[in-house]
Amino acid sequence: MSIEKTPIEGLLILQTNNFQDNRGSFQKLFNYDFSKEYGLATEFKEFYYSLNRKNVVRGMHFQTPPAEHVKMVYVSYGRIMDAVVDLRKDSATYGKVYTVELDAEQGRYLYIPAGLAHGFVSLEDNTIVNYAQTSCYDREHDCGVDSMSVGIDWGVEEPIRSGRDLTFPRFEDFNSPF
């Protein structure tokens, strides 16, 4: 495994080895010892995935304190453009966006610290996006900002969005608790 830093403090791209042979492929997505050695979170409390049609835009999601969490995101089938925006008021990159393409072949995934909002657009039908979080879902602290207000070119003329995501405040109207 290896770690690639991004321009946003604490947001990392983790690279696994993608072993392939005549049977298919194999990737190790989490290693406790590696994570401890590099000061990464090791206590994940929830794991889930979403199945997505092409042009689905999800996000920008996060949980507010005291239910904030570190999140790891990877794609096990298909392809996405993943996006993160820094909501930490004291950060040098507050309001900045980072995007990266993730797919099932490359063995790359995102390590997202607390205080960052996360979203993505599915670039293929039936894309499976997997998540691991260090806190459990908490309805009272579940939050988001409008994915169309953070300066991301999603590359989709008519994005498919949830009713919930449509209710999120615009970034410029959001008072960050981070």
Side-chain angles (χ1 to χ4, degrees):
M1 296 180 78
S2 65
I3 297 175
E4 178 184 333
K5 292 183 178 181
T6 70
I8 296 178
E9 183 66 32
L11 176 65
L12 305 171
I13 297 173
L14 303 180
Q15 178 73 49
T16 67
N17 293 320
N18 187 353
F19 300 101
Q20 297 185 7
D21 62 21
N22 63 334
R23 300 168 295 168
S25 65
F26 176 86
Q27 294 180 29
K28 183 186 298 188
L29 298 171
F30 177 78
N31 179 288
Y32 178 87
D33 293 337
F34 178 87
S35 295
K36 282 294 264 192
E37 180 180 346
Y38 290 97
L40 306 178
T42 58
E43 301 298 322
F44 293 93
K45 296 183 179 178
E46 264 189 345
F47 296 86
Y48 52 96
Y49 73 92
S50 63
L51 176 63
N52 304 275
R53 294 174 37 204
K54 184 177 180 178
N55 298 332
V56 164
V57 173
R58 294 186 188 258
M60 303 295 291
H61 303 147
F62 55 94
Q63 286 194 170
T64 59
E68 72 270 27
H69 51 241
V70 170
K71 184 184 285 188
M72 287 195 313
V73 177
Y74 65 96
V75 174
S76 57
Y77 186 86
R79 191 167 56 98
I80 64 172
M81 181 186 74
D82 211 328
V84 176
V85 63
D86 193 343
L87 301 177
R88 301 169 296 188
K89 290 179 182 176
D90 294 334
S91 171
T93 54
Y94 173 76
K96 300 293 185 205
V97 172
Y98 180 81
T99 61
V100 62
E101 190 170 304
L102 300 177
D103 65 40
E105 303 300 317
Q106 296 178 56
R108 298 187 318 162
Y109 58 105
L110 279 184
Y111 178 91
I112 305 168
L116 278 63
H118 171 256
F120 66 86
V121 60
S122 178
L123 302 174
E124 298 177 4
D125 278 331
N126 299 314
T127 294
I128 299 174
V129 180
N130 303 267
Y131 315 81
Q133 298 184 170
T134 57
S135 70
C136 292
Y137 173 76
D138 184 326
R139 182 181 301 270
E140 286 184 43
H141 299 295
D142 183 43
C143 202
V145 293
D146 182 5
S147 58
M148 300 302 149
S149 71
V150 294
I152 297 170
D153 177 4
W154 295 102
V156 177
E157 286 187 34
E158 295 185 35
I160 303 166
R161 299 171 67 202
S162 72
R164 173 179 162 253
D165 286 0
L166 293 171
T167 68
F168 292 149
R170 296 188 54 77
F171 178 76
E172 58 268 19
D173 299 327
F174 179 71
N175 183 19
S176 180
F178 297 103

